[in-house]
Amino acid sequence: MGGMKLVVRLIEARSLPPTDPNGLRDSYAKLQLGKQKFRTKVVKKNLNPSWGEEFSFKVEDLKEELVVGVLDEDKYFNDDIVGQIKVPVSQVFDADNQSLGTVWYSLQPKNKKSRFKECGEILLSICFSQSFPDSNCNASQSKKNVDVTLSPSRSFNGTNNSSPARLEETASSKEEKFFAQKNLAGRIVQIFNKNSDVISVTTSRSTEISEQSETDGSEVFDDKAEDQSSSGNFEELMKEMESRDVGSEVPNNLPGGILVDQSYVISPPDLNSLFFSPDSNLARLLSDFVGNSEQQFGPWRFENSSESLKRVITYVKAPTKLVGALKASEEQTYLKADGKIFAILISVSTPDVMYGSTFKVELLYCITPGPELPSGEKTSHLVISWRMNFLQSSMFKVFMTLYVFVHVWLAAPSAIQGLEFVGLDLPDSIGEVIVCGVLALQCERVLGLLSRFMQARAQKGTDHGVKAQGDGWVLTVALIEGSHLPAVDSSGFCDPYVVFTCNGKTRTSSIKFQKSDPLWNEIFEFDAMDDPPSVLDVEVYDFDGPFNEAMSLGHTEINFVKSNLSDLADVWVPLQGKLAQACQSKLHLRIFLNNTRGSNVVKEYLSKMEKEVGKKINLRSPQTNSAFQKVFGLPPEEFLINDFTCHLKRRMPLQGRLFLSARIIGFYANLFRQKTKFFFLWEDIVDIQVDTPTLSSMGSPIIVITLRQGRGMDARHGAKTTDDEGRLKFHFQSFVSFNVANRTIMALWKARSLSPEQKVQIVEEESETKFLQTEESGSFLGLEDVSMSEIYSYSLSVPINFLSELFGGGELDRKVMEKAGCLTYSSTPWESVKTDVYERQLYYRFDKHVSRFGGEVTSTQQKYPLSDRKGWIVEDVMTLHGVPLGDFFNLHLRYQIEDFPSRLKGCHVRVSTGIAWLKSTRHQKRISKNIISSLKDRLKLIFNAVEKEFENR
């Protein structure tokens, strides 16, 4: 089955149902066999379209079905399927001569829901074939002994293109010509790619070339040329050329040199067809061998009643060590074709090469008859010569330059006359004025080109291939290519380069001259950043020399907060701006944001912000972070730092919560199922002011946040006002703990948005009024915001050193806490945070006797000596988890331990407490009473246990 080919000729269709308002349709057909798929050209506005195209499928299984469907092209929506037919391959195989002939088939709806019941008819010719490219489906099947692969797709006019005389040739003669063609293909490949010497012709059958000439049936050459009915059959065109020939001479070889000078055992007409016939696969085989791609063959035709026959071939030339991949076009012209002698001139144009528009490479193929062999076989002689053809404009420039230099060299000084003086030589005629003007303009252009070249050399890109320095967030941007960039000069092209900006650092790409679809393939890395970046600004400029300001072709913004990093791994980004939007310009980018510090980045960031805020910041649970990300649609790497209950002041105050993260500040409220949410970046904030409390703010100061002009427009529904400059202003008030909220907001804003100079200025302003820590204040823990009241006082008959062990983290600490109902008690060692100030963290779970709900406690303790150095103060901030309403408050305790100077053994303890309400509730008084009552009971247990432990020792 490997050599079996199913050939399908799709001729035409009729009586298709109309879909367009004008009662017509734009129809094309799709063919599929297994994984092999083809499609025809689109016939515009016709209910009886005529395609006349042929397709070849490689058959691997007789159980497969050939599916042919007719579709209606739609520019804006999915193409509609008019109808389809299915033909089993086995049905064709079992038919007489393995052919179903040319038959009209009724198209069937694809499914029952199809709106077309009468779908029209389609004319197909289906058959099996293992014959030669010149044969058709009705040819004799006796030629199966020669295994030649059919051309995968070929346009035809519905009639047999082969003359009866050629069909009647014997299989043996056809076989000899075929293998002669194979040998020639091998010689040409070796000549053009290995620069070998003249190779003698061999008549042996080369299996290597045979394998290369095989083409996969699934490959389609999309020939967009006109039908053969308009251009004529190639053989008929050759006869027309022969009739027009009036005995013209054979062109001389081109002066550049001889590439090929060889004789072959093949007649000149057959060698000509092998090289230049539309049905020949040799050109495609050579193209694939040298690595060219996207080859398209134009039709042979006479131009404007010209006596020369021409066609155009376009392709993408494979890259070499000197020149990258580029587009090339060949114009092939018959200079002579009298049936025996053929002369074809090929002009190759490569405008993308440096100065490629000023010259063309020309090849001349001369095919002449050779001596007849004793066996009666005809031979032919092939000579290929070449030359470089410089265009007149470039040659004129070179000639004028040489002319001027020779003139200056030969000219003698002329006598001073008129208004001239020594050193000033004015033109003496109108001709000299014109020549001087032309020379001045040419020199100006040359100098402009040199300056642009030197500027481009200096601007190759700032860090192409340079690795990022440091640890933290590393941003890598790969600039692949651009598409449809706007043209800014008369050439229809631009000279684009791209500037990337992130966190005040820029990276610049190289310049691509005279490109509207530039290809960069450049990589840029930004040095590691401590904070995750929020926005990457991308600006595309047009280079206009070193002295003119670059024009912006378009810009865009990559927002890492609104985009998932996985979506940025390969993305086409549309450019904004009048020029870019008019041309639908886009950039192809690949963006990667990685953190080299691993999972410790959140803890390191929080520890840094604790020093800025002046308050302990607890790490949020994964569940809390996930809920925060879900509410605002944030990427997984965004983590919550803190949140506060407050009111958003607009026309009416709206109670909700303010959420703060490393990159955003967001507000969320849900009032009677009416949700209000928005967020903006810290970098968008230009100013933060604190207004004095009012009656409407319930005695709490108001934080007024002003955004930069044009920023945060997605959050404008939450703004209270807009100032004269069009900047949005947001008012937040009624904070439960205003000082903590204000310090946190200011610290995050300074860390993300302010420049180093602004940060220094703020620090100098705050240093004059900085609140110094005293023994009655715990600014690090934020206790100045809590009203403390003494709830317990007790004198112990133990030395103060022994009582200090209660807060030392040793055995006494663990035993006493377990007796007080604290299970799985653990603590960290004391660490010095300031002079004589130490800090540690605690963790334990409540026993059922303490809380019937259970629950967990994370606690931060800080201790420092009294002013007289005869005692200690221990500050404790407790955060409750898993207890009803535990998220509504933090419990603050202060232990003041004093030594009795009049007694050898003994000390006094005073315990004060305060509750910081994080969320408002109607039952605050009742909850406070219950907390203080249970706290007093626990304190009694703790200190009684201390005295018993001292007695046991």
Side-chain angles (χ1 to χ4, degrees), residues 374-577:
S375 60
E377 293 179 296
K378 294 182 179 180
T379 63
S380 58
H381 187 220
L382 172 65
V383 177
I384 304 178
S385 57
W386 72 278
R387 72 174 176 183
M388 297 286 285
N389 183 12
F390 289 92
L391 304 181
Q392 291 184 355
S393 59
S394 58
M395 290 301 294
F396 175 76
K397 296 174 186 175
V398 175
F399 175 76
M400 286 297 298
T401 304
L402 292 176
Y403 181 84
V404 169
F405 278 111
V406 172
H407 170 73
V408 172
W409 181 42
L410 297 177
S414 60
I416 297 177
Q417 54 185 335
L419 298 177
E420 296 177 344
F421 53 84
V422 177
L424 178 63
D425 185 10
L426 297 177
D428 300 328
S429 65
I430 298 298
E432 286 190 20
V433 172
I434 295 175
V435 171
C436 291
V438 172
L439 292 177
L441 292 175
Q442 291 297 329
C443 290
E444 181 185 8
R445 184 180 179 190
V446 170
L447 290 176
L449 290 174
L450 288 175
S451 64
R452 288 164 64 89
F453 175 76
M454 296 304 297
Q455 180 74 4
R457 291 283 295 177
Q459 192 166 343
K460 280 188 174 181
T462 51
D463 74 333
H464 179 51
V466 177
K467 294 297 182 182
Q469 302 293 324
D471 287 333
W473 292 93
V474 176
L475 175 61
T476 303
V477 182
L479 173 61
I480 308 300
E481 59 185 321
S483 174
H484 300 103
L485 298 185
V488 293
D489 56 20
S490 58
S491 66
F493 298 100
C494 56
D495 305 324
Y497 67 95
V498 185
V499 178
F500 300 96
T501 306
C502 185
N503 284 5
K505 301 176 183 178
T506 61
R507 298 289 183 267
T508 306
S509 75
S510 61
I511 303 171
K512 298 298 180 184
F513 285 110
Q514 296 297 291
K515 300 285 185 183
S516 59
D517 296 316
L519 182 65
W520 277 284
N521 284 331
E522 297 179 7
I523 301 174
F524 307 94
E525 284 194 351
F526 289 80
D527 289 342
M529 297 165 273
D530 292 332
D531 304 335
S534 304
V535 172
L536 172 67
D537 290 315
V538 183
E539 190 90 22
V540 183
Y541 293 98
D542 177 65
F543 177 75
D544 197 19
F547 307 109
N548 297 331
E549 184 177 357
M551 177 188 296
S552 176
L553 299 179
H555 62 87
T556 187
E557 177 183 278
I558 306 298
N559 193 317
F560 297 109
V561 178
K562 297 180 181 179
S563 304
N564 209 321
L565 291 180
S566 60
D567 298 334
L568 299 176
D570 188 51
V571 62
W572 279 92
V573 183
L575 297 179
Q576 304 297 319

Side-chain angles (χ1 to χ4, degrees), residues 812-868:
L812 177 64
D813 192 356
R814 184 184 60 79
K815 284 185 178 181
V816 170
M817 296 299 287
E818 287 181 353
K819 289 183 179 180
C822 301
L823 306 178
T824 63
Y825 178 82
S826 62
S827 63
T828 62
W830 288 101
E831 296 181 358
S832 177
V833 293
K834 294 180 181 179
T835 304
D836 291 335
V837 179
Y838 303 91
E839 181 182 325
R840 70 169 182 170
Q841 279 76 38
L842 309 177
Y843 168 79
Y844 50 87
R845 291 189 298 106
F846 284 133
D847 189 2
K848 294 293 184 181
H849 298 290
V850 178
S851 171
R852 62 189 180 92
F853 302 101
E856 299 178 354
V857 175
T858 54
S859 177
T860 301
Q861 288 185 351
Q862 191 181 84
K863 70 176 181 179
Y864 48 90
L866 294 172
S867 56
D868 57 4

Side-chain angles (χ1 to χ4, degrees), residues 50-69:
S50 177
W51 292 287
E53 297 186 33
E54 179 181 301
F55 304 92
S56 176
F57 297 89
K58 181 184 292 185
V59 178
E60 297 178 353
D61 189 353
L62 289 177
K63 296 181 181 179
E64 293 179 338
E65 284 186 328
L66 171 68
V67 181
V68 182

Side-chain angles (χ1 to χ4, degrees), residues 22 103 222 301 311 323 357 444 470 472 550 572 692 764 849 868 914:
N22 56 8
V103 181
D222 186 10
R301 55 188 169 189
R311 77 168 177 180
V323 182
S357 59
E444 181 185 8
W572 279 92
T692 56
E764 290 176 351
H849 298 290
D868 57 4

